[in-house]
Amino acid sequence: MLVDSHCHINFPDLSSRLPEVLGNMQHNGVELALVIGVSRPKYPEVLALAENHANLYATVGIHPDDPEAEEFSEEELLAHAAHPRVVGIGETGLDYHWCKGDLEWQHQRFRTHIRAAKRAGLPLIIHTRESAADTIRILREEGAEQCGGVMHCFTENWEVAQAALEIGFYISFSGIVTFKNAAQIKEVAQKMPLERMLVETDSPYLAPVPYRGKLNEPAYVRHVAEHIAELRGIRFEEVAAATSDNFYRLFSKIQRPQAGQAA
């Protein structure tokens, strides 16, 4: 079985056809998906999905790309993290692609999330774009190895991956790894210790080959795992088993479904 470690199925293109999306997951052997919080206004949607479906869980956080976003305080993050269906803090991190100029506000938002994760004992879901050096630096400064987490939708080089591994983080690969021009990411997927790897869709974005350019959904995480298996010269089942084991090790608040258990 597979796990989609990062998706946004509360977004309208997927939430409007939720029964089909969940059915496709089951048909493709995807036993669970983690629905990621990115804003305060949308958080109730994320939580409702997790509360109403046994095979969906939630995280709480504020994405780093909007300087005007309504914040969660550290105490508010901590309060939401106490919910039994909330299993991680984020999406959080740094984004220097969409945001320019004085980004101290972004750094402070990131530090707030890290501190909440440490206090809650929950892993972080990290977004980093054109900001890897500062992302790693702040994680180190804030002692993020105490809570751990995942570098989601990884697009950096092997040196950045090694730095993340050194502070106890996992690396998650999205459909980008299947793209023909993604040589750097393919290299990391080949070199990565299998026991520190996750797979994800980041749906509705970044659909893997053969669906590139189309709407993505959690069922398609299978194609990510299949491509990584091909890159590494191992069986798909080995990648599926390892990445699922890794997910439940990292997100230890989740009780792993028993074989044959209905979602």
Side-chain angles (χ1 to χ4, degrees):
M1 299 293 281
L2 285 158
V3 173
D4 182 358
S5 68
H6 192 112
C7 67
H8 303 282
I9 59 174
N10 62 304
F11 288 13
D13 286 342
L14 294 178
S15 63
S16 63
R17 43 185 283 268
L18 188 62
E20 180 187 357
V21 169
L22 296 176
N24 290 342
M25 282 175 57
Q26 185 176 17
H27 181 73
N28 283 274
V30 182
E31 69 180 1
L32 187 143
L34 186 57
V35 188
I36 305 297
V38 295
S39 75
R40 188 174 184 129
K42 294 289 187 182
Y43 173 67
E45 299 174 359
V46 172
L47 184 60
L49 285 168
E51 289 177 328
N52 292 321
H53 301 277
N55 60 340
L56 301 178
Y57 282 81
T59 70
V60 58
I62 308 293
H63 198 281
D65 68 353
D66 181 5
E68 305 301 324
E70 186 180 359
E71 302 279 0
F72 285 121
S73 69
E74 184 178 330
E75 294 300 327
E76 286 175 320
L77 288 169
L78 201 62
H80 289 304
H83 192 289
R85 306 294 295 182
V86 176
V87 300
I89 301 294
E91 185 168 351
T92 184
L94 302 178
D95 191 313
Y96 295 174
H97 179 80
W98 295 112
C99 302
K100 309 295 182 184
D102 183 359
L103 297 179
E104 183 58 25
W105 63 267
Q106 198 177 85
H107 294 183
Q108 289 306 314
R109 181 183 296 174
F110 188 22
R111 292 180 189 276
T112 295
H113 283 71
I114 298 170
R115 292 165 186 171
K118 287 166 57 180
R119 292 175 63 191
L122 294 181
L124 288 155
I125 297 87
I126 302 297
H127 170 107
T128 182
R129 190 168 183 188
E130 300 176 16
S131 55
D134 281 349
T135 298
I136 295 295
R137 174 180 61 81
I138 291 174
L139 287 170
R140 286 173 172 156
E141 288 175 357
E142 293 291 337
E145 70 278 359
Q146 296 175 39
C147 57
V150 55
M151 306 292 283
H152 113 86
C153 192
F154 193 79
T155 57
E156 303 294 336
N157 59 27
W158 175 233
E159 287 69 30
V160 175
Q162 287 178 300
L165 293 171
E166 287 170 3
I167 54 175
F169 275 64
Y170 290 71
I171 304 294
S172 181
F173 296 94
S174 71
I176 296 175
V177 76
T178 70
F179 298 174
K180 184 184 297 186
N181 61 350
Q184 176 176 277
I185 306 169
K186 294 177 190 289
E187 178 190 8
V188 176
Q190 289 172 311
K191 290 183 174 181
M192 271 287 301
L194 191 57
E195 65 271 14
R196 299 286 288 282
M197 180 187 296
L198 301 180
V199 288
E200 65 172 91
T201 60
D202 203 13
S203 53
Y205 311 113
L206 303 174
V209 175
Y211 300 100
R212 186 175 182 181
K214 299 180 180 179
L215 190 69
N216 200 5
E217 60 179 89
Y220 297 166
V221 76
R222 182 180 189 92
H223 297 282
V224 179
E226 287 175 343
H227 189 75
I228 290 171
E230 182 180 339
L231 288 172
R232 295 175 70 99
I234 60 178
R235 295 182 305 116
F236 157 75
E237 291 79 8
E238 190 174 346
V239 174
T243 54
S244 296
D245 288 347
N246 298 342
F247 177 86
Y248 290 111
R249 187 182 312 117
L250 177 61
F251 294 97
S252 57
K253 189 174 175 179
I254 300 175
Q255 184 174 356
R256 188 168 190 172
Q258 299 300 310
Q261 180 176 324

